[in-house]
């Protein structure tokens, strides 16, 4: 099996493995006296990871070097129930000692086009440039049932090759406006991790991992990392058809 595919019994075990990876990679940066720049996704799946980081890894993660960014955000205020920042704050940020100066949220309450420029400028300022693009140390991605990742949806594949590092996007069902990192910056991540669980993802994931069926229609098919394949951290349900 592809060495970048890791399958676990359930969501918690999958999250625990990712937490261990974050512990390993961030502590490597401590030895190099460097920050650890991580971009996280929203939705539901990351909540389990954040809760495990709080409850089981709070003494193991070098929070003082963690610099937290977002892969995407819904164009809503941070207090809105659908805010990715709001979810991260409730399940992670209010429980761990990450300095506010190291939290770089996407301002979902702002005018989308203005926020695209602001967030892009911030990323260009705050991250090292590798391969001509800002580079995150780790990018945590999810995948929707339709194969979307970040807020790059199947009807908007051109965002995978955008010249802009950040773009607006629109959810195809809800028409909700989004702000998202685009393909080139996602693919420039030093480590790119998919955290995917549940049987609703299995059919699309099978096509993506096997490069069969409609895999070319799914944005997640086009994501790798700068130096290697993307790593897939899956529970058995999501991997059940693979
Ligand atoms: C978002 C996420 C999105 C998410 C997938 C999977 O803003 O919703 O960034 O890309 O990762 O939709 O969401 P679940 O984890 O809820 O299945």
């Amino acid at each position: 099996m592809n060495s970048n595919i890791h399958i676990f019994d359930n969501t918690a075990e999958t999250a625990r493995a990712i937490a261990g990876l974050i512990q390993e990679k961030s502590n490597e940066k401590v030895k190099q006296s460097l920050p650890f720049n991580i971009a996280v996704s929203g939705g539901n799946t990351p909540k389990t990871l954040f809760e495990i980081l709080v409850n089981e890894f709070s003494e193991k993660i070098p929070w003082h070097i963690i610099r937290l960014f977002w892969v995407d955000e819904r164009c809503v205020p941070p207090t809105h129930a659908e805010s990715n920042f709001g979810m991260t704050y409730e399940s992670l940020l209010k429980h761990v000692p990450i300095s506010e100066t190291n939290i770089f949220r996407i301002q979902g309450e702002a005018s989308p086009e203005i926020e695209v420029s602001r967030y892009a400028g911030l990323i260009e300022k705050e991250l090292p440039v590798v391969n001509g693009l800002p580079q995150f140390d780790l990018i945590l991605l999810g995948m929707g049932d339709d194969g979307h990742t970040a807020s790059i949806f199947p009807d908007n594949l051109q965002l995978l090759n955008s010249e802009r590092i950040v773009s607006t996007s629109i959810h195809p069902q809800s028409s909700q406006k989004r702000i998202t990192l685009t393909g080139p910056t996602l693919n420039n991540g030093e480590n790119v991790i998919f955290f995917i669980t549940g049987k609703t993802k299995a059919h699309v994931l099978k096509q993506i991992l096997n490069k069969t069926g409609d895999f070319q229609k799914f944005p997640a098919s086009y994501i790798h990392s700068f130096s290697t394949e993307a790593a897939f951290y899956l529970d058995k349900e999501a991997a059940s058809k693979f």
Side-chain angles (χ1 to χ4, degrees), residues 95-135:
H95 305 289
V96 295
I98 297 181
S99 162
E100 279 193 22
T101 56
N102 285 344
I103 297 172
F104 305 93
R105 76 177 179 92
I106 300 171
Q107 296 175 5
E109 70 277 23
S111 155
E113 276 306 332
I114 293 174
E115 180 56 14
V116 161
S117 299
R118 186 200 71 84
Y119 192 57
L122 179 142
I123 287 174
E124 287 173 327
K125 171 174 171 279
E126 296 293 342
L127 293 179
V129 175
V130 173
N131 201 27
L133 286 165
Q135 185 175 67

Side-chain angles (χ1 to χ4, degrees), residues 42-45 74 141-150 152-154 171-173 178 194-208 214-215 217-221 235 237-238 241:
N44 295 309
T45 308
R74 291 81 180 275
L141 295 173
M143 188 190 78
D145 296 355
D146 62 355
H148 83 258
T149 190
I152 303 176
F153 298 98
H171 191 288
Q173 277 76 45
R178 304 279 186 96
F194 278 101
F195 179 15
I196 304 172
T197 64
K199 55 180 172 297
T200 64
K201 313 290 175 77
H203 180 60
V204 165
L205 194 57
K206 172 190 172 184
Q207 295 174 72
I208 291 173
D214 291 327
F215 79 97
K217 293 180 179 174
F218 308 129
S221 293
D235 74 347
E237 284 193 345
K241 293 185 175 171

Side-chain angles (χ1 to χ4, degrees), residues 115-204:
E115 180 56 14
V116 161
S117 299
R118 186 200 71 84
Y119 192 57
L122 179 142
I123 287 174
E124 287 173 327
K125 171 174 171 279
E126 296 293 342
L127 293 179
V129 175
V130 173
N131 201 27
L133 286 165
Q135 185 175 67
F136 290 98
D137 296 304
L138 190 143
I139 300 175
L140 178 72
L141 295 173
M143 188 190 78
D145 296 355
D146 62 355
H148 83 258
T149 190
S151 284
I152 303 176
F153 298 98
D155 66 352
N156 204 351
L157 292 180
Q158 65 268 22
L159 289 180
L160 291 163
N161 299 303
S162 173
E163 289 182 2
R164 304 175 81 181
I165 60 175
V166 182
S167 175
T168 58
S169 173
I170 295 178
H171 191 288
Q173 277 76 45
S174 67
S175 300
Q176 184 182 60
K177 287 189 179 177
R178 304 279 186 96
I179 306 284
T180 186
L181 294 180
T182 58
T185 301
L186 295 175
N187 289 340
N188 200 44
E190 175 62 25
N191 296 278
V192 176
I193 310 292
F194 278 101
F195 179 15
I196 304 172
T197 64
K199 55 180 172 297
T200 64
K201 313 290 175 77
H203 180 60
V204 165

